[in-house]
Amino acid sequence: MKASALLFAAALLLAGGPAVAADATAPVDEIMAVTAANWSEDGGEFQELFSEDRLQRLYSRDFVALFRAASKSEFAQEAGTPFDYDVIVNAQDGCPLQDVSVAEGPGEGDVTVVVARYRFMTCMGDTPDFQAFSETRFDVVEEHGRAVVDDIRSDDGSGGTLSVRDVMKSIAAETPN
């Protein structure tokens, strides 16, 4: 009986196991902790999501290459970042993040989707739209035995999806070499 149970468990893992063997939520947990700290009211020091250390540890090679290419834009050279908004919450304005949760979602081929849910407009009003949850989806892949973020996707405000990789590609395409 034990052998058949082990074979069954092995078959389940092979058939429907996670796309990323490493802990897919680990890089997202850190990114969300930084994001929550940056939006907090305590006035703590701003932490860069794309610091050199985090680029090396939390993001895929392809994501980092796109970030570096987008960082050559005139705006990025002046501002220190290719983005004029927070790419995690997809906004320039908001409130301290509340009720943050991170959960591993379904695998999509070699990608594990990790979903972060949070509320970030609660200080702006009591109406349901200000109290609603937002979601950011992280495409996590495995590189060299580590789970790393390969894309960050959020609602674009018009029912579509905004991909940070696509934004970086667009910025890089408009940047002279």
Side-chain angles (χ1 to χ4, degrees):
M1 199 63 146
K2 280 186 178 180
S4 63
L6 287 173
L7 287 173
F8 178 72
L12 280 177
L13 285 174
L14 289 174
V20 177
D23 180 5
T25 61
V28 178
D29 286 336
E30 182 172 339
I31 290 166
M32 290 308 298
V34 169
T35 302
N38 285 345
W39 284 95
S40 73
E41 291 180 325
D42 73 1
E45 186 174 330
F46 179 81
Q47 299 178 53
E48 182 55 57
L49 281 173
F50 303 110
S51 67
E52 189 59 35
D53 172 59
R54 287 192 176 100
L55 284 171
Q56 296 301 314
R57 291 184 303 105
L58 303 179
Y59 302 96
S60 72
R61 283 185 314 255
D62 291 343
F63 188 97
V64 171
L66 286 169
F67 179 82
R68 293 197 194 293
S71 293
K72 294 177 183 176
S73 73
E74 185 177 327
F75 175 83
Q77 294 296 306
E78 292 174 14
T81 178
F83 311 109
D84 63 350
Y85 64 100
D86 183 310
V87 299
I88 305 304
V89 301
N90 190 24
Q92 291 178 326
D93 297 316
C95 308
L97 301 187
Q98 293 185 356
D99 305 317
V100 177
S101 66
V102 173
E104 187 173 321
E108 298 174 359
D110 292 339
V111 175
T112 297
V113 176
V114 176
V115 179
R117 293 189 78 225
Y118 49 88
R119 295 184 306 142
F120 80 104
M121 302 295 283
T122 58
C123 68
M124 295 187 180
D126 293 333
T127 60
D129 53 329
F130 291 127
Q131 299 300 314
F133 276 89
S134 295
E135 286 187 355
T136 302
R137 295 177 177 276
F138 296 81
D139 293 348
V140 178
V141 297
E142 188 171 331
E143 286 182 357
H144 307 292
R146 293 179 308 125
V148 290
V149 172
D150 194 48
D151 199 3
I152 301 165
R153 299 179 287 138
S154 57
D155 180 1
D156 70 358
S158 64
T161 300
L162 180 70
S163 159
V164 173
R165 282 180 64 108
D166 290 347
V167 170
M168 292 188 298
K169 285 178 189 176
S170 177
I171 293 170
E174 297 171 4
T175 305
N177 293 331

